[in-house]
Amino acid sequence: MALIKAEDLQKTFKIYNQGEGIKGYLKSFVSRDYREVHAVEDLNLEIDEGEIIGYIGANGAGKSTTVKMLTGILEPSGGNIEVDGRNPNRQRKKNAMNIGVVFGQKTQLWWDLPVKESFRLLKEIYEVSDEAYDQRIEEFDEVLQLSEFWDQPVRKLSLGQKMRCELAASFLHHPKIVYLDEPTIGLDVAVKERIREFIKRMNREEDITVMLTTHDIDDIEDLCERIIVLDEGKKIYDGELDSLVNRFTSRRLVMDTRSTESIDLDLEGINEIEQEDGHIEIVFDREIISASDLMREVLERYDVLDFQIKEPDIESVVKKIYNEGLEEE
Ligand SMILES: Nc1ncnc2c1ncn2[C@@H]1O[C@H](COP(=O)(O)OP(=O)(O)OP(=O)(O)O)[C@@H](O)[C@H]1O
Ligand SMILES: [Mg+2]
């Protein structure tokens, strides 16, 4: 059975229209004039133990809203959620002991307390034994190097230091599931790599299931085998990262020809031709024209010296989903 399961999940926010000035403001309290934002619509999810799921989509797609419902912070407007056999909103406390969560934009640590005191509090809250705690901190320190700023108050930490603490805090109590909502936002490459290494290790060594929201393609490529793409509250893709790439059928034929005459290819499936002297790049849709058919056509007409077919990179693929959406199969 799936560890995280959502069925027909819905979240609708009511936004009350506020009139002008103080009068309008007061009126908005009694007015029934509102519009609805369908932040999450008819969402079905099944996530198994041990997976690292990339949960992606454009700004406002409904990712954080989903995470808030799965963690029990928000009550769904409709549908069902079961996380490790529990309803996270109704059994919020029990669920909380079983999960970890990082919201990249917020902190779960105590702003004015030194890092070590924040962790002491978390230890008490999650009822972690002294022995397990010491071992955990030592282990985390290896990858996240927390001791560099162990005695500093949280508010004095740099963004990267703070995020390393957040990560450590969310995994402290050996949770079954950790939700990471933009854990790498605003961080430099070195810290991002450290954080990815840590997530991988936790997943591999402890089988902790991770749901990761990010706008960083490298995070996804490095960590996730499966991704779920959300667009305007609806799931538009759920599957392997690789097969998503295959669904984006645009390929690039890059070649060098002996002649410099302007290329003229009027074939269906060709989206774009760029030419600079003898160097030619053709963007084609391989569902309409195969690479071999295209090559044959080209070779009949031009004296080709060298050629290569380029696959699209993940970055452009996901950008494309962000920009255009994607029809569900
Ligand atoms: N508390 C709220 N009240 C009203 N509308 C909300 C609330 N929270 C979210 N929304 C709206 O719901 C939609 C989804 O927001 P959400 O924060 O889930 O998006 P997201 O995918 O996490 O985006 P981002 O990538 O920018 O973090 C947006 O249109 C947002 O304005
Ligand atoms: Mg968000």
Side-chain angles (χ1 to χ4, degrees):
M1 217 196 74
L3 184 61
I4 301 173
K5 196 168 174 180
E7 275 173 345
D8 297 324
L9 190 61
Q10 323 276 341
K11 185 70 198 182
T12 304
F13 292 108
K14 281 185 183 173
I15 316 272
Y16 288 89
N17 291 327
Q18 196 181 311
E20 294 281 307
I22 191 103
K23 227 175 169 179
Y25 174 70
L26 292 172
K27 226 169 130 187
S28 70
F29 284 103
V30 286
S31 142
R32 302 206 164 268
D33 182 20
Y34 61 80
R35 67 187 170 86
E36 289 186 333
V37 174
H38 299 283
V40 170
E41 264 187 285
D42 309 324
L43 179 66
N44 292 296
L45 295 174
E46 276 199 32
I47 297 168
D48 287 326
E49 191 158 1
E51 284 195 273
I52 303 184
I53 293 284
Y55 196 52
I56 62 181
N59 291 127
K63 304 178 298 293
S64 297
T65 304
T66 311
V67 173
K68 284 176 193 163
M69 289 193 280
L70 294 178
T71 51
I73 296 168
L74 270 182
E75 194 182 356
S77 315
N80 291 310
I81 306 177
E82 218 177 275
V83 175
D84 200 18
R86 293 190 189 93
N87 179 313
N89 189 253
R90 269 176 240 146
Q91 293 162 279
R92 203 168 152 173
K93 207 169 161 207
K94 277 210 174 110
N95 181 61
M97 298 298 274
N98 203 26
I99 65 163
V101 61
V102 171
F103 287 104
Q105 322 269 24
K106 293 205 184 103
T107 182
Q108 61 190 315
L109 304 165
W110 287 265
W111 205 240
D112 290 311
L113 290 184
V115 173
K116 64 176 177 196
E117 297 304 326
S118 269
F119 275 83
R120 281 258 150 221
L121 281 172
L122 289 170
K123 169 187 179 296
E124 297 308 318
I125 291 170
Y126 290 119
E127 297 164 7
V128 181
S129 74
D130 290 347
E131 201 190 342
Y133 177 79
D134 291 343
Q135 203 184 342
R136 202 70 170 151
I137 295 297
E138 201 183 308
E139 183 193 344
F140 285 1
D141 191 37
E142 256 175 51
V143 191
L144 297 172
Q145 287 161 355
L146 305 173
S147 43
E148 278 175 21
F149 41 81
W150 198 229
D151 297 312
Q152 281 191 47
V154 172
R155 69 184 146 76
K156 287 202 175 157
L157 301 183
S158 74
L159 188 62
Q161 291 170 334
K162 195 174 83 51
M163 203 52 86
R164 277 140 70 191
C165 288
E166 298 284 344
L167 251 292
S170 68
F171 284 92
L172 183 69
H173 51 298
H174 290 268
K176 241 181 170 164
I177 305 159
V178 172
Y179 303 91
L180 302 171
D181 192 354
E182 311 221 26
T184 56
I185 194 163
L187 305 181
D188 69 37
V189 177
V191 179
K192 276 184 181 173
E193 273 170 10
R194 203 164 277 284
I195 282 177
R196 286 186 205 128
E197 182 52 44
F198 179 72
I199 297 169
K200 253 190 246 173
R201 197 156 149 175
M202 287 292 110
N203 172 258
R204 207 172 40 220
E205 290 173 10
E206 300 181 9
D207 217 24
I208 296 177
T209 307
V210 176
M211 186 164 177
L212 169 73
T213 288
T214 180
H215 288 277
D216 189 314
I217 308 307
D218 292 337
D219 288 348
I220 298 166
E221 252 193 307
D222 198 17
L223 294 169
C224 310
E225 277 173 23
R226 179 179 158 205
I227 60 168
I228 294 173
V229 183
L230 207 63
D231 183 46
E232 297 187 359
K234 295 198 179 103
K235 188 164 85 172
I236 55 167
Y237 180 83
D238 184 343
E240 284 178 17
L241 188 59
D242 287 348
S243 57
L244 179 73
V245 176
N246 287 333
R247 289 182 57 173
F248 280 86
T249 51
S250 160
R251 293 286 185 277
R252 190 175 278 262
L253 168 64
V254 181
M255 58 182 186
D256 290 303
T257 59
R258 210 179 289 278
S259 84
T260 53
E261 69 178 292
S262 166
I263 188 164
D264 177 26
L265 269 180
D266 189 18
L267 295 170
E268 221 186 318
I270 292 184
N271 299 332
E272 206 183 319
I273 299 177
E274 292 162 20
Q275 181 172 21
E276 209 186 313
D277 300 328
H279 183 80
I280 297 163
E281 299 201 13
I282 302 171
V283 181
F284 65 101
D285 184 336
R286 58 147 205 198
E287 291 217 320
I288 300 175
I289 184 164
S290 70
S292 57
D293 284 348
L294 177 62
M295 270 320 292
R296 195 167 38 243
E297 295 283 347
V298 169
L299 288 171
E300 268 175 21
R301 295 172 214 201
Y302 302 95
D303 194 359
V304 177
L305 296 170
D306 191 19
F307 76 93
Q308 120 189 62
I309 307 277
K310 281 193 181 163
E311 304 271 314
D313 59 10
I314 305 286
E315 181 146 24
S316 62
V317 168
V318 176
K319 256 194 204 135
K320 212 165 164 176
I321 318 172
Y322 281 166
N323 294 337
E324 297 169 18
L326 171 70
E327 298 286 302
E328 203 158 5
E329 263 176 337

